[in-house]
Amino acid sequence: MPVRVIGMIGVAPPAGTALHVIGGGVSPSFLGEFAQAHEKAGFDLVLVGYYSSSAEGFAVASYAASRTTTLGYLVAHRPGLVAPTLAARTIATFDALWGGRLAVHIIAGNSDEDMQRDGDFTPKDERYERAAEYLDVMRRVWTCTEPFDYDGRFYQFRKVFPDVRPIQQPYPELLFGGSSPGALVMGAQHCDTFAMFGEPRAETAERMAEFRQLAAGFGRPAPKFNMSFRPIIGRTEGEAWDKANKVLADLKAATPHPRGQDLSGKRLVDIAARGDIQDERLWMPVAALSGGKGNTSCLVGSAEQVAEALLKYYRMGITSFLMRGFDPLNDAAEYGQELIPRLKAGALAIDRETALAA
């Protein structure tokens, strides 16, 4: 399977070293430039994130799609804020209008505080139960061949039958992330791809095996896996480490002390406590500083070295990587010069090697 590279776009230029790119008022010119830079660099999709204060994701992705030709959009979506029938039609409409250039990242909300800004006071465990029901309804809307009724704990519908269908069959890819039991059960039942923050290879292998077993228990197809990293690359390894140390110094000067983490963030903080560098070049101080928020696991080295590190995960079965930097626009362009071509060429070589050995 060809490797897939996912970036992340924001709507306004960040100020200085950027830990997050979701916030800010909308700058159409910057959004268009940001999306085009990812397309030119060879990214396959870009994530459009979600906070209760951020610009609406499907509108952002639609505008960016109008400024690009092949780039796909991974839109973060919180189940529960709109009816699942409406969400299913929104997603199908986008997919039809933009030629199948859509995937959806399901987030049940890692922060009660942020959920409450949108008026949702549902406890987190219950949000995952609701999300599972929500996804069940959406998948039925996309695949139904005749009107259906639905009687669940959270949703009831009568004679549902849509006029609009996704181009992608049976429907656009559904990704999710999380480490809590509720998140994993929801994803194993209803999602296609498990998106994880970057962890050492030993922990990654354990998580993949456990999730495969969980998905199989629900009779689902073998899941796919995505992993997020912040590559910090230089012409030499020494130059890359100099850049990494400057990033950390900038963030220490600007970042307040982190508050509580979700379980995925706590995993990163616990890994960071074991040492700054894991495996050969997985660098964890930014994850420790940020409380594990914002996919802050870094890979540091030359483009060749970072590609080699990513390909070790690819051999394990991680077939897509979300990569973004701390200088988001310029880093996206830099990744396209050597890192992405090396990663994609290396993955093809591994695929040929595997086919010959079969």
Side-chain angles (χ1 to χ4, degrees):
M1 177 183 294
V3 71
R4 179 175 62 176
V5 182
I6 305 173
M8 185 173 186
I9 57 172
V11 295
T17 301
L19 190 60
H20 304 294
V21 298
I22 300 175
V26 177
S27 168
S29 61
F30 176 77
L31 173 57
E33 181 184 8
F34 208 3
Q36 289 165 0
H38 280 83
E39 184 168 75
K40 183 178 179 181
F43 286 84
D44 299 292
L45 298 96
V46 287
L47 173 64
V48 179
Y50 188 111
Y51 278 131
S52 61
S53 59
S54 61
E56 197 283 315
F58 286 101
V60 169
S62 185
Y63 181 85
S66 75
R67 297 299 186 267
T68 54
T69 56
T70 60
L71 188 66
Y73 295 88
L74 172 59
V75 179
H77 180 66
R78 284 185 180 174
L81 297 182
V82 299
T85 48
L86 173 58
R89 298 197 310 275
T90 299
I91 290 165
T93 301
F94 187 105
D95 202 52
L97 289 174
W98 295 110
R101 295 159 58 190
L102 179 67
V104 181
H105 185 60
I106 300 299
I107 50 172
N110 61 3
S111 162
D112 289 343
E113 182 181 31
D114 199 58
M115 295 297 296
Q116 290 168 11
R117 291 192 189 100
D118 270 334
D120 189 345
F121 288 78
T122 308
K124 187 172 183 179
D125 288 346
E126 193 170 298
R127 290 202 298 268
Y128 284 119
E129 296 174 15
R130 182 182 64 187
E133 200 169 288
Y134 186 100
L135 292 170
D136 186 27
V137 173
M138 285 208 309
R139 292 170 63 209
R140 293 191 191 195
V141 172
W142 290 326
T143 59
C144 66
T145 57
E146 58 185 33
F148 70 89
D149 296 342
Y150 192 90
D151 289 289
R153 176 186 172 193
F154 299 95
Y155 298 104
Q156 295 82 40
F157 298 99
R158 293 291 178 266
K159 295 182 172 53
V160 179
F161 194 74
D163 290 330
V164 59
R165 305 276 180 162
I167 288 179
Q168 299 178 78
Q169 292 297 312
Y171 43 77
E173 179 183 0
L174 297 174
L175 295 83
F176 86 102
S179 298
S180 68
L184 295 170
V185 168
M186 176 205 74
Q189 286 181 293
H190 297 289
C191 296
D192 309 298
T193 300
F194 183 16
M196 301 177 287
F197 290 158
E199 296 186 2
R201 293 191 294 275
E203 284 83 352
T204 299
E206 292 174 2
R207 298 196 79 191
M208 293 171 68
E210 291 170 357
F211 188 71
R212 286 189 180 111
Q213 184 175 11
L214 184 59
F218 288 107
R220 297 294 311 285
K224 295 177 286 186
F225 298 93
N226 176 84
M227 184 154 274
S228 298
F229 291 106
R230 300 276 189 124
I232 301 175
I233 57 177
R235 290 169 296 180
T236 65
E237 184 173 10
E239 181 181 292
W241 284 112
D242 288 343
K243 287 175 65 175
N245 289 325
K246 184 178 186 307
V247 164
L248 185 60
D250 289 347
L251 292 174
K252 282 182 176 178
T255 304
H257 185 73
R259 295 194 286 180
Q261 310 96 23
D262 60 13
L263 287 180
S264 295
K266 186 177 185 303
R267 287 180 63 93
L268 296 189
V269 172
D270 290 345
I271 290 168
R274 303 194 322 234
D276 286 353
I277 302 174
Q278 305 290 319
D279 295 338
E280 300 82 19
R281 58 191 67 260
L282 178 60
W283 189 60
M284 302 301 294
V286 176
L289 178 69
S290 66
K293 294 181 66 176
N295 53 290
T296 43
S297 308
C298 303
L299 290 172
V300 182
S302 67
E304 180 179 10
Q305 290 171 324
V306 172
E308 288 175 356
L310 291 167
L311 289 169
K312 289 179 180 178
Y313 289 94
Y314 183 77
R315 287 185 180 274
M316 295 168 56
I318 305 290
T319 55
S320 71
F321 297 94
L322 193 155
M323 304 191 304
R324 60 187 176 109
F326 297 98
D327 182 5
L329 179 58
N330 291 326
D331 284 345
E334 184 178 43
Y335 297 160
Q337 294 170 10
E338 284 193 67
L339 179 58
I340 291 175
R342 285 181 180 275
L343 174 60
K344 291 193 172 185
L348 287 174
I350 291 170
D351 291 346
R352 289 192 294 267
E353 172 190 313
T354 303
L356 288 173

